[in-house]
Amino acid sequence: MISHPLAFMRLPYEVLVALDSRMLHFWLQPVHYLIRIVHIISMALFFGMDMLFDFGILNRRMAGRIAPTAQLMVRPLHVNLAIAMVTGVILFLYDPVHIGSRAYLTPKLLLITLALLNAWWCHRSVYLSVLRGDAAPTLHGQTGACLSLCLWIGVMVMSCLNSEGVPKVFLR
């Protein structure tokens, strides 16, 4: 019996078994924790920079001052996102049956996809004007930044919920 409200979104078990490679598992086993550390650090750096960038867009008083900071953050932001994505896929392929069986993985992947689509949607109309230091962001820009914040916070929440099981309650 599946009692989780998002259980219907789980990846099919047959797909997870087909992705499972014991050879890859044994190759990665000595460096698994190093890959996890790199994933967590790059994810934290990306999330922090994205939050600062989005809060800067949402704050109208920062319109003129955000451009120099944003120009410094763009390359590290993209590099950390790429590192987090690559290491995340590697960690998934390390043990797809175990990772893919977790209840919050599919909602997390859905939120990541939506956040990347939002970034693609906002790239020309919002982010490039912010990097150039144009006038204060429009309502469209603030909507994109707010949506970005909500989606990436959702990704982090799903990651946290996915990392540990439900706490056990011991009754006496």
Side-chain angles (χ1 to χ4, degrees):
M1 181 172 135
I2 300 173
S3 62
H4 191 272
L6 300 175
F8 69 94
M9 295 178 77
R10 284 192 177 157
L11 297 171
Y13 187 71
E14 296 79 23
V15 173
L16 299 174
V17 170
L19 291 172
D20 196 6
S21 168
R22 290 293 98 189
M23 184 69 73
L24 182 65
H25 184 87
F26 289 123
W27 282 346
L28 293 176
Q29 199 167 22
V31 293
H32 173 256
Y33 286 101
L34 294 175
I35 295 170
R36 266 179 88 180
I37 290 168
V38 169
H39 179 70
I40 291 169
I41 291 171
S42 65
M43 180 189 58
L45 287 169
F46 167 77
F47 184 64
M49 285 187 282
D50 185 67
M51 296 267 299
L52 289 173
F53 186 66
D54 290 335
F55 281 132
I57 291 172
L58 289 172
N59 188 350
R60 289 204 176 270
R61 293 180 297 161
M62 294 295 293
R65 295 180 288 185
I66 193 172
T69 306
Q71 290 168 3
L72 287 174
M73 289 185 344
V74 169
R75 180 158 293 147
L77 184 80
H78 290 145
V79 167
N80 281 305
L81 175 63
I83 292 170
M85 291 295 178
V86 168
T87 55
V89 169
I90 291 171
L91 288 172
F92 172 75
L93 293 175
Y94 175 74
D95 193 2
V97 175
H98 183 250
I99 303 297
S101 297
R102 294 180 178 165
Y104 293 99
L105 177 70
T106 309
K108 174 184 167 182
L109 295 176
L110 179 64
L111 288 171
I112 289 171
T113 304
L114 292 173
L116 292 174
L117 286 172
N118 178 58
W120 175 73
W121 175 63
C122 291
H123 180 70
R124 287 193 187 276
S125 58
V126 179
Y127 301 148
L128 290 180
S129 65
V130 169
L131 290 172
R132 284 191 301 260
D134 293 347
T138 62
L139 180 62
H140 171 74
Q142 290 184 327
T143 303
C146 187
L147 192 57
S148 175
L149 280 172
C150 291
L151 289 170
W152 286 115
I153 287 172
V155 169
M156 294 302 289
V157 168
M158 293 299 154
S159 296
C160 292
L161 291 174
N162 212 24
S163 63
E164 293 188 25
V166 177
K168 293 180 175 59
V169 178
F170 298 106
L171 301 174
R172 293 181 184 224

